[in-house]
């Protein structure tokens, strides 16, 4: 009887611990399906922001201390630098891309990463020259105290061969 009671106590303790671990700071429990849907929604909004060349649409998707790490450039850290970086990108190029989510990993109740591939076109605004766009991306997300997932870190690299 003592063994059964101990196993029952351990099982209940483990279940309670898992519920506590899945409860964000807001106090509202979420499921991994809820989190995955929310992450997919942010990714869709980010894709829309890129395709609209809209810094204003991209900014709310980042945490206050978010970091954008494009290749061959210094990182843009925090809202002011993020705004400058996206303004510069959209002044230089016009993107038409589609993200394909390859992996979503919930690392904890407050941290997740999303690995994607994107494909589409890239227009150089100064010349009008068009080229194919292909990248692999890694987004690290943080869930705030309000329960909203936001981009904390974003890095990408081209999957296109280098130009000759």
């Amino acid at each position: 009887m003592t063994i059964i009671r101990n196993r029952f106590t351990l099982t209940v303790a483990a279940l309670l611990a898992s519920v506590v671990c899945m409860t964000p700071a807001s106090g509202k429990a979420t499921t991994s399906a809820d989190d995955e849907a929310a992450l997919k929604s942010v990714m869709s909004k980010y894709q829309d922001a890129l395709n609209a060349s809209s810094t204003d649409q991209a900014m709310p998707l980042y945490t206050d201390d978010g970091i954008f790490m494009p290749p061959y450039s210094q990182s843009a850290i925090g809202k002011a630098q993020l705004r400058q970086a996206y303004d510069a990108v959209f002044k230089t190029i016009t993107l038409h891309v589609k993200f394909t989510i390859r992996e979503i990993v919930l690392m904890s109740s407050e941290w997740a990463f999303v690995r994607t591939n994107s494909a589409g076109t890239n227009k150089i605004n100064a010349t009008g020259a068009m080229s194919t766009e292909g990248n692999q991306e890694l987004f690290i997300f943080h869930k705030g105290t309000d329960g909203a997932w936001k981009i904390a870190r974003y890095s990408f690299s081209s999957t296109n061969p280098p130009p000759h």
Side-chain angles (χ1 to χ4, degrees), residues 1 3 15 28 33 37 41-42 53 69 74 86 95 100 109 120 129:
M1 184 68 150
I3 293 173
L15 286 171
K28 181 182 174 195
S41 176
V42 175
S53 297
M69 299 172 283
Q74 294 296 313
Y86 279 97
L95 295 166
T100 301
S109 61

Side-chain angles (χ1 to χ4, degrees), residues 58-67 77-80 82 110-111 140-144 148-153:
M59 292 304 298
L61 304 177
Y62 273 92
T63 61
D64 288 341
D65 62 348
I67 300 175
I77 303 169
K79 292 284 189 170
L82 285 167
E110 295 178 356
W111 291 96
I140 299 176
F141 285 85
H142 184 254
K143 185 190 278 187
W149 286 102
K150 292 191 174 189
I151 301 166
R153 308 291 184 269

Side-chain angles (χ1 to χ4, degrees), residues 102-139:
R102 299 295 184 193
E103 183 177 26
I104 296 176
V105 176
L106 298 170
M107 298 180 290
S108 74
S109 61
E110 295 178 356
W111 291 96
F113 72 80
V114 177
R115 183 177 61 84
T116 63
N117 291 102
S118 62
T121 59
N122 173 351
K123 179 177 93 174
I124 306 297
N125 292 333
T127 65
M130 298 286 290
S131 63
T132 59
E133 179 77 12
N135 292 297
Q136 54 191 355
E137 300 92 4
L138 185 63
F139 295 84

Side-chain angles (χ1 to χ4, degrees), residues 30-111:
T30 60
T31 65
S32 53
D34 292 336
D35 289 322
E36 287 189 21
L39 291 162
K40 287 177 181 178
S41 176
V42 175
M43 290 302 306
S44 178
K45 289 174 186 175
Y46 185 71
Q47 175 180 288
D48 292 346
L50 292 183
N51 289 330
S53 297
S54 176
T55 300
D56 288 338
Q57 287 179 25
M59 292 304 298
L61 304 177
Y62 273 92
T63 61
D64 288 341
D65 62 348
I67 300 175
F68 172 43
M69 299 172 283
Y72 315 112
S73 298
Q74 294 296 313
S75 296
I77 303 169
K79 292 284 189 170
Q81 289 183 13
L82 285 167
R83 180 168 289 284
Q84 289 174 343
Y86 279 97
D87 283 346
V89 167
F90 297 142
K91 182 179 178 183
T92 306
I93 61 173
T94 299
L95 295 166
H96 182 54
V97 295
K98 180 175 181 355
F99 286 98
T100 301
I101 295 174
R102 299 295 184 193
E103 183 177 26
I104 296 176
V105 176
L106 298 170
M107 298 180 290
S108 74
S109 61
E110 295 178 356
W111 291 96

